[in-house]
């Protein structure tokens, strides 16, 4: 199973159309972690589960949501309401509260992933204005049993090996 994760597109609808066209045939879900700066009815967001970022003033996106995708429970938020530029502790507490195995967030425009106390945190970076690197980035999560591969890609679809990681994440019993 594969899941596409993108964030911080800041009005750039063309890239969202391109990502959907490039990957919709291979992914089971597409997540936008906020700051799309688009209306919820914009066709660029068709098929994306989307949350509200601090720059999203055009609509009624939820601040966050919990969704079961495959064997895992995802908690998705933009991150500004959880102080993610300073710490991931607030998100860790929220993940524990919601039973999430995987947390997807943006806001900092900084691509990365890490495992904390059995919970995977994924920030796809920014597909428009990256920080800390030149590539505009997004993620494809590849789930096979309890093995989760986090593959980072640049906007042209080239895999960024230096950012990509593999994690063992226990599946919670139902």
């Amino acid at each position: 199973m594969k899941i596409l994760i993108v964030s911080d597109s800041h009005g750039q609808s063309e890239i969202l159309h391109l990502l959907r066209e490039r990957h919709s045939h291979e992914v089971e879900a597409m997540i936008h972690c906020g700051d799309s700066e688009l209306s919820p009815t914009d066709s660029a967001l068709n098929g994306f589960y989307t949350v509200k970022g601090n720059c999203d003033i055009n609509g009624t996106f939820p601040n966050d949501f919990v969704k079961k995708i495959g064997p895992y429970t995802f908690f998705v938020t933009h991150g500004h309401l959880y102080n993610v530029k300073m710490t991931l502790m607030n998100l860790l507490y929220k993940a524990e509260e919601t039973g999430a195995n995987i947390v997807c967030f943006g806001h900092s425009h900084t691509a990365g992933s890490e495992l904390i106390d059995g919970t995977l945190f994924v920030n796809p970076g920014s597909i428009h204005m990256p920080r800390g690197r030149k590539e505009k980035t997004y993620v494809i999560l590849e789930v096979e049993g309890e093995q989760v591969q986090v593959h980072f890609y640049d906007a042209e679809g080239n895999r960024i090996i230096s950012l990509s990681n593999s994690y063992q994440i226990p599946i919670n019993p139902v």
Side-chain angles (χ1 to χ4, degrees), residues 48-70:
F48 282 91
Y49 296 109
T50 305
V51 293
K52 181 177 185 156
N54 57 300
C55 295
D56 289 319
I57 57 172
N58 298 322
T60 56
F61 299 112
N63 286 325
D64 48 52
F65 65 83
V66 176
K67 178 138 187 82
K68 184 95 167 158
I69 303 174

Side-chain angles (χ1 to χ4, degrees), residues 102-129:
I102 300 174
V103 176
C104 303
F105 67 99
H107 187 53
S108 69
H109 294 218
T110 305
S113 63
E114 67 179 290
L115 192 63
I116 303 172
D117 294 342
T119 301
L120 177 61
F121 293 82
V122 179
N123 184 334
S126 173
I127 197 65
H128 179 55
M129 298 180 292

